[in-house]
Amino acid sequence: MRIAVTIFLTDETITPVRLARELEARGFAGLYLPEHTHIPVERTTPYPAGGDLPREYGRTLDPFVGLGQAAAVTERLGLGTGITLVAQHDPIGLAKQIATLDHLSGGRFTLGVGFGWNVEEAADHGVAWRTRRELTQDRMALMRALWADEPTSYEGEFGSVRASSAYPKPVQKPRGPLAGPRTLVGGAAGPKLFAHVAAYADGWMPIGGRGLTESLPVLRGVWADAGRDPAALQVVPYAVFPSAGKLAHYAELGVEEVVVQLPPAGEAEVLGALDAYARYL
């Protein structure tokens, strides 16, 4: 099983360059970074985990800049977002960012797609909360048009693009209905989320990794009903606090990659956590 990590990198933590080098030297599979552009101080949206919102949410580094630094100092380390708030981006610009990072890293990028939880953050980007999922799906389709091998136009409910010359292209070749880098949709199990996974992703990124025994058969059914290859479905538990028993359970379910959670801390604490997690490699 491949073991990757995620961390809230901020202006107060270990740097992307130092962390990436240490991850590759130790044999970890990848580095996934979250995204928040800002956290409005006056907000009514509760923190999903309960209690006060942790300090790091409002100090998070831009994931694409951080991953670009990580790509430049490594050769094998996977690079991913966990997750990108696609609805909060201009899709033409985001398609260029993603394709550039994937091209420069030699195809090491994984796009984690999410719908967000902070209503006020999304509203500042002009996102109507009730349609954010549909907006995300529309923007994914627009980006796939730009990533296509031949100039391809797209006309959607929320946006459009003319048939265009748009390079570089992501390294991974089109597969079934997909074009672009490996794409995983993050979020809690449910019919809406599983429909998105089957429509435009390579798989699911369940946050915390709980309840997979019950939810995986449901996702596999939705996947098969969409005409997707059963062998192609990828499930990557995300932000996991690992144990030997938990990882063994994932392996029994066919999981091949797990993303474990690092503390949003300085160099000494983060490297200590890496040393502790290294026993699972």
Side-chain angles (χ1 to χ4, degrees):
M1 182 179 291
R2 303 188 304 277
I3 306 293
V5 307
T6 185
I7 180 175
F8 276 88
L9 287 179
T10 76
D11 56 320
E12 299 176 324
T13 67
I14 189 171
T15 67
V17 166
R18 178 75 166 125
L19 177 57
R21 284 173 168 156
E22 292 292 337
L23 289 169
E24 185 157 273
R26 286 167 164 79
F28 284 89
L31 170 63
Y32 290 76
L33 299 182
E35 176 179 48
H36 282 286
T37 53
H38 66 301
I39 300 293
V41 174
E42 294 183 4
R43 64 181 179 86
T44 58
T45 309
Y47 175 43
D52 294 334
L53 184 69
R55 174 184 177 87
E56 59 268 18
Y57 277 74
R59 307 186 75 98
T60 307
L61 300 185
D62 180 279
F64 291 97
V65 175
L67 292 170
Q69 284 201 333
V73 297
T74 57
E75 296 180 351
R76 302 175 305 280
L77 188 71
L79 310 160
T81 53
I83 48 67
T84 297
L85 295 164
V86 172
Q88 296 183 184
H89 287 266
D90 166 65
I92 298 173
L94 182 59
K96 175 70 77 172
Q97 283 181 284
I98 289 169
T100 299
L101 178 55
D102 197 53
H103 168 73
L104 293 177
S105 67
R108 289 187 276 152
F109 181 65
T110 292
L111 174 63
V113 174
F115 307 108
W117 60 268
N118 191 321
V119 176
E120 292 77 22
E121 178 186 356
D124 283 349
H125 287 278
V127 176
W129 192 249
R130 65 179 180 83
T131 58
R132 71 194 188 282
R133 293 174 182 269
E134 293 78 10
L135 174 60
T136 297
Q137 186 164 3
D138 191 74
R139 289 186 169 170
M140 289 297 300
L142 189 155
M143 291 195 294
R144 288 199 303 273
L146 291 168
W147 294 332
D149 288 336
E150 298 296 329
T152 302
S153 64
Y154 176 75
E155 183 73 36
E157 179 182 357
F158 298 95
S160 62
V161 68
R162 296 172 175 83
S164 303
S165 175
Y167 289 84
K169 301 296 184 185
V171 173
Q172 189 165 351
K173 297 303 180 185
R175 54 223 177 269
L178 307 184
R182 182 174 76 145
T183 300
L184 304 171
V185 176
K192 288 185 178 179
L193 184 126
F194 287 168
H196 281 265
V197 172
Y200 59 81
D202 295 285
W204 179 32
M205 186 183 281
I207 311 302
R210 292 182 293 275
L212 292 185
T213 302
E214 296 76 26
S215 56
L216 268 182
V218 179
L219 173 58
R220 287 173 175 144
V222 174
W223 185 266
D225 289 345
R228 304 292 301 275
D229 178 3
L233 176 63
Q234 301 177 46
V235 176
V236 181
Y238 187 79
V240 170
F241 293 96
S243 67
K246 189 180 294 186
L247 296 180
H249 175 61
Y250 292 155
E252 290 173 356
L253 295 174
V255 169
E256 297 180 349
E257 180 182 359
V258 173
V259 182
V260 301
Q261 182 71 60
L262 289 173
E267 186 170 305
E269 186 175 347
V270 170
L271 296 185
L274 286 183
D275 290 337
Y277 288 157
R279 69 180 181 272
Y280 300 120
L281 296 175

